[in-house]
């Protein structure tokens, strides 16, 4: 049995998270997502089979239009993907669950919702550390700087 709505989270570039319900019906879903991201929605799926996957919905031309980078959503997607992205998501981002076996959108899990809200809360806190995932830290909790590249290898 399927419900008529999907549970999602809208993440603003400033780290504000807002729960969102998205219709399963394609036409109604497009209207809701267009309003949420401020323009034509573009879907990107992250994750792999056997693990949780998500769908990030962004403004189709957000980066070109000069929308601000969305570091909390980008960080969350990188965590789900299992590695950093070579680009940043821009503007408001709507995060949904995704089933890679069926290719259908799904509810964003409670675990994923908690993780994105925690990342967003750190972003909203001025001066909060944003350590690189799995980076070595000092006893004071600061990230150990990486050594400079060898001059002949740059």
């Amino acid at each position: 049995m399927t419900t008529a709505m999907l549970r999602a989270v809208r993440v603003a570039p400033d780290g504000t998270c807002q729960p969102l319900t998205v219709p399963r019906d394609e036409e109604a879903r497009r209207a809701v997502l267009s309003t949420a991201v401020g323009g034509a929605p573009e879907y990107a799926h992250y994750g792999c089979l056997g693990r949780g996957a998500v769908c990030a919905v962004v403004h189709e031309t957000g980066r070109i239009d000069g929308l601000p980078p969305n570091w909390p959503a980008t960080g969350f997607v990188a965590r789900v993907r299992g590695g950093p992205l070579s680009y940043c998501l821009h503007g408001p981002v709507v995060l949904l669950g995704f089933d890679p076996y069926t290719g259908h959108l799904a509810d964003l899990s409670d675990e994923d919702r908690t993780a994105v809200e925690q990342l967003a809360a750190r972003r909203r806190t001025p001066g909060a550390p944003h350590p690189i995932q799995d980076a070595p830290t000092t006893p004071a909790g600061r990230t150990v700087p990486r050594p400079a590249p060898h001059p002949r290898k740059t």
Side-chain angles (χ1 to χ4, degrees):
M1 179 177 181
T2 60
T3 60
M5 302 296 268
L6 296 168
R7 293 180 303 151
V9 172
R10 180 185 182 271
V11 183
D14 68 358
T16 306
C17 289
Q18 174 182 26
L20 185 67
T21 54
V22 178
R24 287 186 184 271
D25 175 65
E26 190 173 338
E27 190 174 318
R29 180 175 60 230
R30 183 170 178 78
V32 168
L33 292 174
S34 291
T35 301
V37 299
E42 181 177 358
Y43 299 78
H45 305 116
Y46 300 95
C48 50
L49 297 175
R51 291 183 16 194
V54 297
C55 176
V57 183
V58 298
H59 185 296
E60 187 174 47
T61 58
R63 185 182 62 80
I64 295 168
D65 293 346
L67 295 179
N70 191 323
W71 295 112
T74 302
F76 172 73
V77 167
R79 182 180 289 178
V80 168
R81 184 176 175 266
L85 299 176
S86 60
Y87 52 89
C88 180
L89 303 176
H90 286 74
V93 176
V94 175
L95 297 167
L96 293 147
F98 179 71
D99 184 347
Y101 290 107
T102 63
H104 292 106
L105 296 175
D107 289 330
L108 187 66
S109 72
D110 292 334
E111 180 182 309
D112 285 342
R113 185 180 327 221
T114 301
V116 75
E117 288 172 354
Q118 288 173 348
L119 282 169
R122 274 191 271 164
R123 175 72 176 151
R124 286 191 311 266
T125 307
H130 301 287
I132 300 169
Q133 190 174 355
D134 300 326
T137 58
T138 65
R142 295 187 176 172
T143 303
V144 176
R146 294 181 187 219
H150 192 280
R152 285 182 260 150
K153 294 186 178 182
T154 56

